[in-house]
Amino acid sequence: MPALTSAAGVVGFLSEPEPELQVFALKVLNEQIDSLWTEVAGSVGDIEALYEDPSFPERELAALVAAKVYYNLQEYNESMIFALGAGKLFDIDHEGEFEDTIISKCVDTYIALSGTVPANNTNQPPSQLTTAFSSNANGASSISAGLASPTTPFSQSTLPSKSLLSRQDSTTTFDPSQQLAGNANLPGALPASVASQASVQKQLYAIIDELFERCFQGGSYRQVIGIAVEARRLDVLRRAIIRASEDEKKQRKGEDGDFIRSQELMEYVLEICMNVVQERGLRNELLQLVLNLLNDIPSPDYFSIAKCIVYLNEHTMASDMLVQLVNKGDAKSTAVAYQIAFDLYDNSTQDFLKKVRGDLPKPPEPAPAATTDDQDGMQEEVPEPRESDQLLKELDDSAGVPASSLEGNKDKKETELSPEAQKAFDSIRTILSGTKTIELDLEFLFRSNRADMAVLNKIRDSVEARNSIYHTAVTLATAFMHAGTTNDSFFRQNLEWLGKAVNWSKFTATAALGVIHRGNLGQGQKLLEPYLPKDQIAGANPSSAYSQGGSLYALGLIYANHETFALDLIREHFKKATEEVVQHGGALGLGVAGMATGDESIYEDLKSVLWTDSALNGEAVGIAMGLIMLGTGDIRALEYMIQYAHDTQHEKIVRGLALGMALIMYGRQEGADELVNGLLDDPDPILRYGGIQTLALAYCGTGSNKAVRKLLHVAVSDVSDDVRRIAVMSLGFILFRKPSSVPRMVELLSESYNPHVRYGAAMALGISCAGTGLDEAIDLLEPMIKDPTDFVRQGALISLSMIMIQQNEAMNPKVGTIRKTLMKAISDRHEDAMTKFGSAIALGIIDAGGRNCTISLQTQTGNLNMSGIVGMAVFTQYWYWFPLTHFLSLSFAPTAIVGLDQDLEVPSFKFHSATRPSLFDYPPEQETKQEDAPKKVETAVLSTTAQAKRRAQRKEKQQRRESMDIDQTPTTPKTVNLDDKMETDEPAPKAEEGQESEKVDGEKKDGDAQRESAKKRMEKEKVGYQLENMSRVLPAQRKFISFPDGRYQPVKKPTGGVILLTDSTPSEAKSLMELKAKKTVKPAAAPVTLQDRVSEALGQQEASDRDAQGAAEAAGVLTAVDEDGEGGEEAEVPREFDYFTDEEGGNEG
């Protein structure tokens, strides 16, 4: 039929009484509606009437024509309704814009309809907390405030229909969780006909099912999974994964083997859960589903199961999985169990690991109690019942694991353990206690230490040690540069400099030993013995309280996040201490060592000291309370801390409690919303500051849009500079998994008129982009180095060092320039103290751990690094209290691959890196240029003197001519021009400027030449080289690592850290690496008691070696009492000295 130019005649047939004419008109219009819809739009009511007439024979055709008319009118909701009414005439297989648009609208409607179904709250987190304050700043109070106590867990109250963070959002958008009436007239709202007509819904589900089937047939399983997750249809998700497994099985025709497709899909679901899904309840449901599906597979992916178990906090399932693997008896299963144990230690809390160790089969006979530094964590106490126990029991029951059967199995395991199985379980306990991982990290950092002592000497010589801020800066730089290496030689070789530490500088210097010796479990207590508090003996000189407090802090740092005897030792000294400084250090040490243990008794000890209402130790106690209860969401603790924060008058205590509450809500996400809103509405800016910290730690690493929106709002609206600064800084914690998005977000904030906002933007870049070398972040930070405000320059330098950590010229060409900038800032005598302090810390960070550590807020397997995040959060509080800077060492992660065989020994073998050696090599050491001695100023030559010399020269020359004595005239400089220039003042500066410009140009040319030569050397290098076991492997280098060695192969894809290897030829003799750190015995410390001094005088102790003498002298310096009392003289007044001005020096020369 030829194309029509007008639809007037055809439209007229729609009003005819004969159905045949009406059907004819509809057929013609259906074929040519795209060109005639403008004329048909006026008669769309007649077409709708035909569709609604039950006697009309072609109702579906009328619906299809009406759908196309509304589609051209861009009324997509109405178009979708009529397209669904068209039934089979709407062909989803036909490719066209109309069909694609309607299918897309159907999917959106399907998701919205599914969202109106109430979510299943069975798997809600056990102890989510909602803290409702009496009223907010606007005078409004929450509904739950009048019905519940100030702190009520979600398990005991009605869950809000949506997150509280977005309730007052000015942007009105469609919310699928609201009922239909609540979304009226909103973009994306469901038409009333969809909810009222069951037939339309039935047709919608039929189209969606047909669409899913098409995806299954085409192998597009991920599209179905994406729609199912967004629609919260777990049944569809399960169906998609099972269908993928069945289809793969059919293609193989019954062959045995791993089901790669279904495993890839479950990995995809895991990735969606961790990186896309922002609601914790839905994430838990998805992980529980994946966990059940993984357990149903004949050969499950145990590493994916371990990820789900850690996030769901299912310690019982973790122990059951380890027992199952060990009971298989083969070497590979045992190696997999060991690898999972290492992964559990890296990703779990101390409380979780203790429960897993307790659930493992016990030996038939109790082992003799032996408390040593290396064998720790073997004696577990029975955990107290918690609110979460009932929910975990319900989860176990829903998983089909009755408690009685588990207990029966455990009893059976206790009586039927083979020697091999018992050895394996003992090894797993050692791994879960963390001893093995810490020992291997210490060994790697010790043997690979590449710290540049010349940099430290330069920092020491460039600042005045008598100034406490400079002394602290050098101490912190030393601690960071040697973190975990056990190399404290800088302190031993600079005793005179160390002796200038007084008061809190001495506290920081002593605590720095804990950073340097972190992980030295075997000798940690012995190293700090001279500094620890002791019962005084009559006649003995008392040691400094600052060194005692610093030693307790250092002991906690050595045993950080590792519950051992050290925790009891620190607790004992803390309870005995009467001086506030010792209590301060003891509280920090308790918090670091007992992180996330949830120990109620330690919490009560801290609370009893808080009652003294001392500002000095109150801040540390508040932080320690949060560290002990880290991530627990403990209701009673929060109630007490909120109440005390409102009662006390000390700002330091309020600040410590605010940070402590934030730590308690670590990772709670929606469970912290009520507390966040309550704190942000408080009139006290310190508590609002704590509210922002709570928001940052609760949503850390989630990339939550709600949290980011809230932070940006506070960053530009709060009246307190401190609150605005922390709001911008907290963006780094929320978005550190998406570092490339942060520079764009803070670009305008980095140019704010407010220096606190600029500082926050700089730190946000450093936190989120740490170790990435991201060019966009560096481009924003480079102008901030020249900011007019000193603390902004400080933040920019620290952030640059975080970003450039472990970067070399091949990875980022700007790293050399930035290192020179840091050295220039520290040596510039006109620079402010704050900037120099930041520069010194930055030089320590950029070479952290002997250039073998990076800053990592997530683990090797992609989970949140709890200790790293907490360390970074507390480190940012150095703004108020310098000793908290040491917490940054908790964020340092060694970058190494350490292969272990099935006996947990370190074999000597090589693996391959498919890169050029210089690409990931260590940066070159700092060139030490000896400063030239000051040159004497040349004596000015007067013009009359020059003229007299010229006359004398002419006279002498004339005499030689007359005597015919022909001598060769010596070549002399053209003094005439020189003398002429000295008579005028203007040309001289031009010459100097020319020399300076030539010098700068020469430096540029030298730098360009060096880069060109380095580039040529890289091009000539051979791609691919061998690396020894326990070698430095950067995160960006891991994807190039392979194991061509035929004997040792990893049990999983190398992700860095400890890798278990399977030995293909276990009968052959193996070569093991020598562990050097174990053989290094640290020298004994100086005697500090009277009996030790008498024994030494009587010659009963042998003379120690040079290192022992250095340690003794260092201990004597730091433990010396440096003040007589309050207001006493802190340091010896420097002697008078003479100095000369430039003019005097010039005249003297």
Side-chain angles (χ1 to χ4, degrees):
M1 182 178 179
L4 298 177
T5 59
S6 175
V10 179
V11 170
F13 289 152
L14 296 176
S15 57
E16 293 292 331
E18 292 81 3
E20 292 80 4
L21 293 176
Q22 294 171 340
V23 171
F24 171 77
L26 290 175
K27 289 182 178 179
V28 173
L29 293 176
N30 182 45
E31 294 176 357
Q32 305 186 34
I33 192 66
D34 291 337
S35 59
L36 302 176
W37 67 270
T38 53
E39 299 180 62
V40 182
S43 303
V44 70
D46 297 336
I47 301 175
E48 291 185 27
L50 294 176
Y51 166 66
E52 295 171 356
D53 185 3
S55 62
F56 185 66
E58 294 289 342
R59 293 181 60 207
E60 294 181 349
L61 180 60
L64 183 61
V65 175
K68 292 183 178 180
V69 173
Y70 279 116
Y71 165 74
N72 285 283
L73 290 171
Q74 297 185 0
E75 295 289 342
Y76 299 123
N77 281 334
E78 296 296 329
S79 178
M80 181 196 66
I81 297 298
F82 286 105
L84 293 175
K88 295 182 179 179
L89 292 182
F90 177 64
D91 186 11
I92 64 174
D93 293 329
H94 184 270
E95 295 183 0
E97 292 184 2
F98 168 69
E99 287 79 10
D100 292 343
T101 303
I102 298 303
I103 290 174
S104 176
K105 194 66 182 176
C106 287
V107 172
D108 293 340
T109 307
Y110 173 78
I111 293 172
L113 275 175
S114 302
T116 58
V117 180
N120 181 16
N121 295 331
T122 304
N123 293 324
Q124 286 292 339
S127 58
Q128 283 194 6
L129 175 98
T130 169
T131 304
F133 287 67
S134 57
S135 62
N136 56 25
N138 300 325
S141 60
S142 64
I143 298 175
S144 60
L147 302 177
S149 64
T151 54
T152 306
F154 279 165
S155 58
Q156 300 176 12
S157 62
T158 304
L159 277 173
S161 59
K162 59 186 287 191
S163 174
L164 298 170
L165 288 180
S166 57
R167 284 187 174 178
Q168 298 179 355
D169 185 16
S170 59
T171 305
T172 306
T173 56
F174 170 73
D175 183 11
S177 63
Q178 292 283 353
Q179 297 299 323
L180 299 178
N183 289 315
N185 301 323
L186 294 181
L190 292 175
S193 56
V194 176
S196 60
Q197 299 181 14
S199 60
V200 176
Q201 289 190 21
K202 183 178 179 181
Q203 185 63 25
L204 173 65
Y205 289 133
I207 287 181
I208 294 298
D209 289 339
E210 186 178 354
L211 183 64
F212 286 166
E213 187 62 32
R214 285 178 55 193
C215 292
F216 290 150
Q217 294 176 1
S220 302
Y221 302 99
R222 294 194 176 193
Q223 296 181 10
V224 180
I225 289 175
I227 296 174
V229 171
E230 210 168 344
R232 300 167 179 261
R233 293 295 300 270
L234 302 185
D235 56 335
V236 177
L237 180 60
R238 175 188 290 271
R239 175 180 145 202
I241 296 176
I242 294 176
R243 177 66 179 271
S245 179
E246 293 176 351
D247 292 347
E248 187 176 9
K249 190 174 181 180
K250 289 179 182 178
Q251 292 177 3
R252 294 184 174 187
K253 297 180 181 179
E255 296 179 0
D256 295 333
D258 295 336
F259 294 96
I260 300 176
R261 183 182 299 171
S262 57
Q263 291 181 5
E264 289 178 351
L265 285 180
M266 280 185 277
E267 290 178 0
Y268 177 66
V269 175
L270 281 175
E271 183 181 356
I272 290 177
C273 288
M274 299 302 179
N275 301 328
V276 178
V277 177
Q278 297 182 358
E279 185 181 342
R280 185 171 182 174
L282 176 60
R283 184 184 292 126
N284 287 348
E285 293 179 3
L286 292 173
L287 289 174
Q288 190 68 49
L289 172 64
V290 172
L291 189 58
N292 296 334
L293 290 173
L294 285 169
N295 287 326
D296 293 339
I297 297 177
S299 56
D301 182 4
Y302 290 104
F303 300 109
S304 298
I305 293 176
K307 282 185 180 180
C308 299
I309 287 174
V310 168
Y311 191 87
L312 294 172
N313 200 28
E314 293 282 355
H315 62 89
T316 304
M317 299 185 71
S319 58
D320 289 344
M321 180 175 61
L322 293 173
V323 171
Q324 178 185 354
L325 287 168
V326 172
N327 287 340
K328 286 186 176 181
D330 59 301
K332 184 173 182 181
S333 298
T334 305
V336 171
Y338 290 163
Q339 184 67 66
I340 290 175
F342 278 111
D343 292 345
L344 288 176
Y345 173 74
D346 289 337
N347 297 287
S348 308
T349 64
Q350 293 190 52
D351 187 45
F352 180 88
L353 295 172
K354 178 188 284 188
K355 291 177 180 178
V356 175
R357 295 199 304 269
D359 291 341
L360 293 176
K362 304 292 192 303
E365 295 180 0
T371 304
T372 61
D373 292 354
D374 291 332
Q375 298 175 351
D376 50 86
M378 299 300 179
Q379 300 176 354
E380 278 81 15
E381 299 176 358
V382 179
E384 297 180 0
R386 291 171 172 264
E387 293 182 7
S388 59
D389 292 345
Q390 179 65 26
L391 181 62
L392 290 176
K393 182 178 180 301
E394 294 174 1
L395 290 175
D396 292 337
D397 295 341
S398 65
V401 185
S404 59
S405 64
L406 287 177
E407 292 175 0
N409 290 337
K410 287 178 185 177
D411 295 338
K412 186 176 180 181
K413 291 171 190 172
E414 289 181 5
T415 57
E416 299 182 1
L417 284 180
S418 63
E420 294 78 9
Q422 184 57 53
K423 179 182 177 183
F425 286 128
D426 291 341
S427 299
I428 290 175
R429 286 192 186 91
T430 304
I431 296 171
L432 291 176
S433 69
T435 305
K436 195 67 180 178
T437 302
I438 295 173
E439 174 189 325
L440 294 172
D441 288 343
L442 183 73
E443 174 67 25
F444 164 69
L445 293 175
F446 175 78
R447 68 192 302 144
S448 303
N449 184 14
R450 298 287 290 271
D452 192 353
M453 297 296 292
V455 175
L456 287 177
N457 294 328
K458 178 71 174 177
I459 300 174
R460 179 204 60 201
D461 297 337
S462 300
V463 295
E464 177 53 58
R466 285 175 294 184
N467 191 329
S468 63
I469 186 174
Y470 291 150
H471 196 286
T472 301
V474 180
T475 300
L476 294 172
T478 306
F480 290 156
M481 194 174 294
H482 293 96
T485 64
T486 71
N487 181 6
D488 55 5
S489 58
F490 182 82
F491 287 155
R492 305 185 186 194
Q493 296 170 4
N494 295 274
L495 295 178
E496 182 181 356
W497 167 85
L498 190 63
K500 296 178 182 178
V502 294
N503 297 342
W504 289 107
S505 297
K506 181 173 292 186
F507 179 93
T508 306
T510 310
L513 295 174
V515 178
I516 295 174
H517 293 277
R518 184 191 172 193
N520 195 354
L521 305 181
Q523 301 163 15
Q525 183 184 6
K526 182 179 179 182
L527 286 164
L528 295 176
E529 191 67 31
Y531 312 96
L532 292 172
K534 289 182 175 62
D535 296 333
Q536 296 297 331
I537 300 176
N541 293 328
S543 60
S544 170
Y546 292 95
S547 64
Q548 293 178 9
S551 66
L552 294 178
Y553 186 13
L555 194 62
L557 290 169
I558 290 177
Y559 297 90
N561 197 21
H562 185 66
E563 187 179 5
T564 62
F565 77 96
L567 187 61
D568 297 329
L569 180 62
I570 299 172
R571 183 181 176 187
E572 180 183 353
H573 286 302
F574 176 74
K575 292 167 69 174
K576 291 181 179 179
T578 56
E579 298 192 36
E580 294 179 341
V581 178
V582 181
Q583 291 177 340
H584 182 95
L588 292 177
L590 273 177
V592 178
M595 190 186 302
T597 56
D599 194 316
E600 293 285 349
S601 58
I602 298 178
Y603 173 80
E604 292 298 328
D605 292 339
L606 292 168
K607 192 163 68 172
S608 63
V609 174
L610 186 65
W611 284 341
T612 61
D613 201 43
S614 168
L616 186 59
N617 56 30
E619 182 177 17
V621 168
I623 296 173
M625 292 166 70
L627 289 171
I628 294 295
M629 295 295 177
L630 179 64
T632 61
D634 189 271
I635 303 165
R636 293 178 300 165
L638 286 171
E639 285 179 339
Y640 177 79
M641 295 169 78
I642 292 171
Q643 184 65 36
Y644 198 92
H646 284 103
D647 293 343
T648 186
Q649 300 298 319
H650 296 292
E651 290 186 358
K652 289 177 69 66
I653 297 179
V654 177
R655 184 173 293 112
L657 290 172
L659 179 55
M661 287 187 284
L663 293 169
I664 291 177
M665 280 301 180
Y666 166 80
R668 306 306 297 179
Q669 296 185 19
E670 293 89 353
D673 288 351
E674 282 284 2
L675 176 62
V676 170
N677 289 335
L679 291 175
L680 290 181
D681 291 336
D682 198 281
D684 188 351
I686 300 178
L687 287 179
R688 295 202 305 275
Y689 187 100
I692 295 297
Q693 289 178 309
T694 305
L695 179 62
L697 291 179
Y699 286 89
C700 59
T702 62
S704 171
N705 294 328
K706 300 176 297 184
V708 170
R709 191 183 307 123
K710 192 75 172 178
L711 291 175
L712 291 175
H713 172 71
V714 174
V716 297
S717 62
D718 200 278
V719 296
S720 170
D721 286 336
D722 288 350
V723 178
R724 297 179 68 179
R725 182 181 69 247
I726 191 63
V728 181
M729 191 189 305
S730 297
L731 291 171
F733 288 98
I734 304 293
L735 299 170
F736 69 79
R737 282 180 167 167
K738 304 174 183 177
S740 58
S741 63
V742 179
R744 297 196 306 271
M745 189 169 296
V746 303
E747 183 175 4
L748 294 178
L749 296 173
S750 66
E751 300 175 358
S752 171
Y753 73 93
N754 191 327
H756 293 266
V757 175
R758 298 199 300 272
Y759 173 87
M763 292 300 292
L765 290 170
I767 294 169
S768 60
C769 305
T772 62
L774 195 64
D775 291 333
E776 293 83 355
I778 297 170
D779 292 339
L780 288 179
L781 289 171
E782 282 181 330
M784 302 175 76
I785 298 176
K786 301 178 181 179
D787 194 276
T789 308
D790 54 356
F791 61 79
V792 177
R793 297 195 298 274
Q794 178 193 83
L797 293 173
I798 293 175
S799 297
L800 279 173
S801 67
M802 291 181 180
I803 296 173
M804 284 300 190
I805 190 171
Q806 286 199 325
Q807 299 284 314
N808 58 20
E809 292 281 355
M811 300 171 67
N812 194 313
K814 293 184 178 180
V815 66
T817 306
I818 290 175
R819 285 180 177 271
K820 290 180 181 178
T821 302
L822 295 175
M823 294 300 298
K824 181 180 179 182
I826 196 69
S827 59
D828 187 358
R829 61 180 180 178
H830 300 294
E831 189 59 84
D832 294 321
M834 296 295 291
T835 307
K836 285 190 174 184
F837 179 83
S839 178
I841 294 179
L843 286 169
I845 293 173
I846 201 170
D847 289 337
R851 301 186 175 182
N852 292 298
C853 288
T854 187
I855 294 177
S856 178
L857 302 187
Q858 53 185 342
T859 61
Q860 310 276 9
T861 54
N863 289 350
L864 296 179
N865 181 9
M866 182 191 68
S867 60
I869 294 172
V870 171
M872 182 65 74
V874 182
F875 160 73
T876 58
Q877 303 310 299
Y878 81 89
W879 178 280
Y880 302 103
W881 193 233
F882 285 157
L884 298 180
T885 312
H886 287 310
F887 270 83
L888 182 62
S889 62
L890 301 180
S891 301
F892 293 160
T895 53
I897 286 183
V898 183
L900 295 183
D901 61 12
Q902 296 153 0
D903 297 326
L904 297 184
E905 295 176 331
V906 186
S908 178
F909 76 101
K910 294 183 179 181
F911 52 89
H912 184 74
S913 176
T915 60
R916 293 184 174 89
S918 61
L919 181 59
F920 298 106
D921 197 8
Y922 287 97
E925 293 189 358
Q926 183 74 23
E927 296 181 1
T928 56
K929 295 183 178 179
Q930 296 181 353
E931 296 183 358
D932 298 333
K935 297 181 179 179
K936 292 184 178 181
V937 180
E938 295 183 0
T939 305
V941 180
L942 300 178
S943 58
T944 54
T945 305
Q947 291 176 359
K949 287 184 177 180
R950 287 199 295 272
R951 284 196 296 271
Q953 288 177 356
R954 285 197 295 269
K955 185 176 181 181
E956 183 180 358
K957 187 177 180 181
Q958 184 66 25
Q959 291 176 353
R960 283 201 299 267
R961 284 181 180 176
E962 292 177 354
S963 61
M964 298 299 292
D965 186 6
I966 303 175
D967 292 333
Q968 182 67 28
T969 304
T971 57
T972 57
K974 297 181 179 180
T975 55
V976 178
N977 296 336
L978 180 62
D979 295 335
D980 292 341
K981 287 183 180 179
M982 291 188 65
E983 293 176 359
T984 59
D985 295 335
E986 295 180 357
K990 292 181 181 179
E992 293 178 0
E993 291 176 3
Q995 292 175 358
E996 291 180 359
S997 62
E998 289 177 2
K999 183 178 180 181
V1000 173
D1001 293 340
E1003 291 179 355
K1004 289 182 178 180
K1005 290 179 180 179
D1006 292 341
D1008 294 339
Q1010 291 178 359
R1011 292 192 186 95
E1012 288 294 330
S1013 61
K1015 188 175 180 181
K1016 290 180 180 178
R1017 284 198 304 270
M1018 278 191 61
E1019 292 176 354
K1020 293 180 180 179
E1021 281 182 328
K1022 182 180 178 181
V1023 177
Y1025 62 103
Q1026 301 292 324
L1027 286 170
E1028 291 284 348
N1029 190 15
M1030 199 176 281
S1031 292
R1032 174 179 181 262
V1033 177
L1034 302 187
Q1037 189 180 1
R1038 292 173 194 156
K1039 57 186 177 182
F1040 302 105
I1041 297 300
S1042 60
F1043 289 77
D1045 192 324
R1047 180 170 182 177
Y1048 295 104
Q1049 292 297 323
V1051 297
K1052 71 168 187 176
K1053 184 179 179 181
T1055 55
V1058 180
I1059 301 293
L1060 262 294
L1061 307 169
T1062 56
D1063 190 353
S1064 59
T1065 56
S1067 58
E1068 296 182 5
K1070 58 184 178 181
S1071 174
L1072 300 178
M1073 297 186 67
E1074 181 184 4
L1075 301 184
K1076 300 179 180 179
K1078 272 190 173 183
K1079 289 194 170 186
T1080 305
V1081 180
K1082 291 293 178 180
V1088 292
T1089 64
L1090 181 61
Q1091 182 62 36
D1092 289 338
R1093 294 181 184 275
V1094 172
S1095 299
E1096 184 182 24
L1098 295 175
Q1100 295 177 359
Q1101 297 181 352
E1102 297 181 358
S1104 57
D1105 55 11
R1106 188 177 307 169
D1107 290 337
Q1109 184 178 1
E1113 292 177 354
V1117 168
L1118 288 178
T1119 55
V1121 179
D1122 47 42
E1123 71 276 353
D1124 295 329
E1126 195 69 28
E1129 186 178 2
E1130 294 185 353
E1132 181 183 357
V1133 179
R1135 62 179 178 81
E1136 296 183 359
F1137 57 93
D1138 297 330
Y1139 65 95
F1140 299 96
T1141 61
D1142 293 341
E1143 291 80 4
E1144 293 173 343
N1147 294 336
E1148 182 183 356

